Amino acid sequence: MLFCIDILKDATGPYTFSICDTSSFSEYIRGGIVSQVKVSQKISFKPLLASLAEPEFVVTDFAKCCRPAQLHVGFQALHQFCTLHGRPPRPHNEEDAAEMVTLAQAVNAQALPAVHQDCLDVDLIQKLAYVAAGDLAPMNAFIGGLAAQEVMKACSGKFMPIRQWLYFDALECLPEHRVPFMEDKCLPRQNRYDGQVAVFGSDLQEKLGKQKYFLVGAGAIGCELLKNFAMIGLGCGEGGEITVTDMDTIEKSNLNRQFLFRPWDVTKLKSETAAAAVRDINPHIRVFSHQNRVGPETEHVYDDDFFQNLDGVANALDNVDARLYVDRRCVYYRKPLLESGTLGTKGNVQVVVPFLTESYSSSQDPPEKSIPICTLKNFPNAIEHTLQWARDEFEGLFKQSAENVTSLCIGRDPKFMERTLQLGGTQPLEVLEAIQYSLVLHRPQTWADCVAWAYQHWHTQYSHNIQQLLHSFPPDQFTSSGALFWSGPKRCPHPLTFDTNSPLHLDYVMAAANLFAQTYGLGGSQDCAAVAKLLKSLPVPKFAPKSGIRIHVSEQELQSTSATVDDSHLEELKTSLPTPDKLLGFKMYPIDFEKDDDSNFHMDFIVAASNLRAENYGISPADRHKSKLIAGKIIPAIATTTSAVAGLVCLELYKVVQGHQQLESYKNSFINLALPFFSLSAPLAPAYQQYYDQKWTLWDRFDVQGLQPSGEEMTLQQFLDYFKTEHKLEITMLSQGVSMLYSFFMPATKLKERLDQPMTEIVSCVSKRKLGHHVKSLVFELCCNSESGDDVEVPYVRYIIR
């Protein structure tokens, strides 16, 4: 029986709704399924002439909410100017700008009340005239992304189209103060940058060419940024350069949105390929490609000299941790950061300017929701749950077990057993049981053994485990509150019966058997008929329910249960494992999941494993494409959003290179092309704190020269005295990273020993690591008291060694 409800009318809460009067139906028991169906809407648009007279505007920046109506008049005047002269107004020409103002005033005088402006913004119309002949690649990228998305909407009928006029301007990119003789600087040079020079003049073009920028990431946004950099001339002049780093290789799934890559580039390094592609776009660009992860492990590469020589950094990353790290480095070296990201039709841009704005780390997005373990193991109710379960199956069966066996048996990790036994909870037991499973209980010798294992594992996962779950929680079981246990999000499962005639069952066995064989270095097979024949000869594994099995019903119950492991059982497991001398020459081969190779059985296994579990729980299955998106954790990036976001980034780049000092000149952006929604707003200023009458923000710090005029390094005592004398601060605790260098409660003997030691010597001693030659400064954190004895918050210390 089907019901159609209006969720806006019938919702009774965030997760509940009523369906209608059901008094004439039998009593509802359980097991109903709700599917969201979006109802199509018919959208009508005014004809062009009617819309010109009575327009509807999409506002992109509420700080300029009156701007669209003014531009509506201005663009009609511009159209008339071009019709009269056969050309746009000359760049920054006062005569043409004055004529444009006159035309705009005439348009405004004749306009209907819906368009007529009581006070026409003459300055805005003049600026429109000044830049009308210009041609900016970032503006083209933004408007082009929007236009392309609108075409897709018209073709597919998906998402809400723009209704009906969208005017976008970034006039704050122009110089903050009027530049004398601007027209002379905007004359064409007969080169590829003439459209940009017409807007900003030749001085900015020269600055752009000299910039040294660091681009972190060469994926979807990274490719678009590099393309824009090449087109605007960033790093294309004398002394300029762009360094791009990305450790990834190109995958087939990248090609639909990373347009610097071609099919023949698959498996090549992203950074190298992208750098070569932009050299073809602009041979003058000086771009250097690296394959390094940007993190603590590469600080010897991206060291003080590297960052201090930069003019700015652009992030094109796909994870928060890396973004936070790069942000911290930019704050430390006081470099501008252009941050951006996309998710489907959604995109954001944040500009970070030293001393002017807050940093990326100053605010946080809510954490991503993870699927509870209990839901994954026993109570899935959505295809996302079964796909995640299938991915975990893949990792456990074909990667983790093989890695553990390799570490134990061939001595790759001599302390493997010792470290395993020190793990918390039931982890030692789980690891050793998995090794016993791989080496003793289910070690195959032939392909037929692999097929038999896959057949047995199918019954374990899709029949026996489900029967055990129903044995513990029967379908008609009630909770202590009198409600049915299997109700709400808990879907009552049913065991499956293996059928060799079922393509899904056979797909699972084929994929599982081939992957299992690969981990042992055995040959596989793609002969489905032979496998089906072999399966018919195997006995059906019998199920016997186990008693005393504890199944956790909720995350709270799982976390509150303190699992203990019997040491004697662990010892028994250890003795059951073959000794290394009995495994000479034996090797297992861990498999890394690869979603894009259709011949490797990886996605075959994921799709079959997930859909079989979905069948267990009555969940609608997913096809291969949807399964790949979810299981492969592919962020649904699309070229339209990427183009628009990269354009917005480079508009902010113009401001950073010019050195704009007004906070309102910069714009953080949040867009959703599907709705459509656009929100551009000024970034937030950094929060400040204060000690005595000294205000400070995250951009401030104490710079302390470690070397004294005598040539000797500052001791701890001298460091403490320096802050007491120069800043009237008494240091109560001093740390470097996780190392505590000094505290007021330190034992007197240790304190006396440290006071006369040089600072770097104390750091090396406490951290138990020698400082590398690339380290030119250290960061110290302080806890201080004022002269009155009160705790005060103070900036960190940059202790300069060399």
Side-chain angles (χ1 to χ4, degrees), residues 89-126:
R90 287 167 290 183
H92 294 271
N93 181 272
E94 297 297 339
E95 181 184 345
D96 286 358
E99 184 178 347
M100 265 277 290
V101 170
T102 302
L103 290 170
Q105 288 169 338
V107 170
N108 190 46
Q110 299 171 7
L112 293 178
V115 174
H116 180 79
Q117 301 298 301
D118 294 333
C119 182
L120 191 66
D121 190 337
V122 173
D123 183 61
L124 175 65
I125 303 301
Q126 287 178 330

Side-chain angles (χ1 to χ4, degrees), residues 446-448 450-451 510-519 521-527 531 601:
T446 64
W447 164 245
C450 296
V451 174
M510 286 292 297
N514 273 281
L515 292 169
F516 195 62
Q518 287 177 36
T519 61
L522 300 174
S525 171
Q526 297 190 21
D527 190 342
V531 169
F601 290 103

Side-chain angles (χ1 to χ4, degrees), residues 143 149 392 578 622 642:
I143 298 297
Q149 188 69 52
D392 293 344
T642 306

Side-chain angles (χ1 to χ4, degrees), residues 140-204:
N140 296 340
F142 177 72
I143 298 297
L146 269 61
Q149 188 69 52
E150 293 305 303
V151 172
M152 291 172 64
K153 292 176 184 178
C155 295
S156 65
K158 189 174 184 181
F159 304 140
M160 182 63 70
I162 291 173
R163 301 183 65 183
Q164 185 160 358
W165 293 87
L166 185 148
Y167 286 100
F168 174 78
D169 78 88
L171 290 172
E172 61 277 357
C173 290
L174 293 173
E176 288 181 323
H177 306 288
R178 189 169 181 82
V179 179
F181 310 111
M182 189 68 177
E183 185 178 3
D184 295 341
K185 297 178 180 180
C186 296
L187 296 174
R189 267 61 173 175
Q190 306 304 319
N191 62 34
R192 67 187 302 152
Y193 308 120
D194 279 352
Q196 190 164 266
V197 169
V199 176
F200 295 111
S202 55
D203 290 349
L204 177 60

Side-chain angles (χ1 to χ4, degrees), residues 393 454 457-458 462 504-513 605 608-609 612:
E393 272 275 284
H457 197 70
W458 188 99
Y462 305 110
L504 184 60
H505 295 193
L506 195 58
D507 284 350
Y508 178 89
V509 172
M510 286 292 297
F605 177 83
L612 284 166

Side-chain angles (χ1 to χ4, degrees), residues 377-378 389 393 457-472 493-495 543 546 549 551 613 616-617:
K377 292 183 71 174
N378 299 308
W389 177 87
E393 272 275 284
H457 197 70
W458 188 99
H459 281 85
T460 298
Q461 296 293 48
Y462 305 110
S463 179
H464 296 178
N465 286 352
I466 301 299
Q467 292 181 65
Q468 180 65 49
L469 183 60
L470 293 173
H471 175 75
S472 300
H494 67 278
F543 169 71
K546 300 174 184 176
I549 298 294
I551 297 176
R613 189 161 176 83
N616 277 138
Y617 286 87

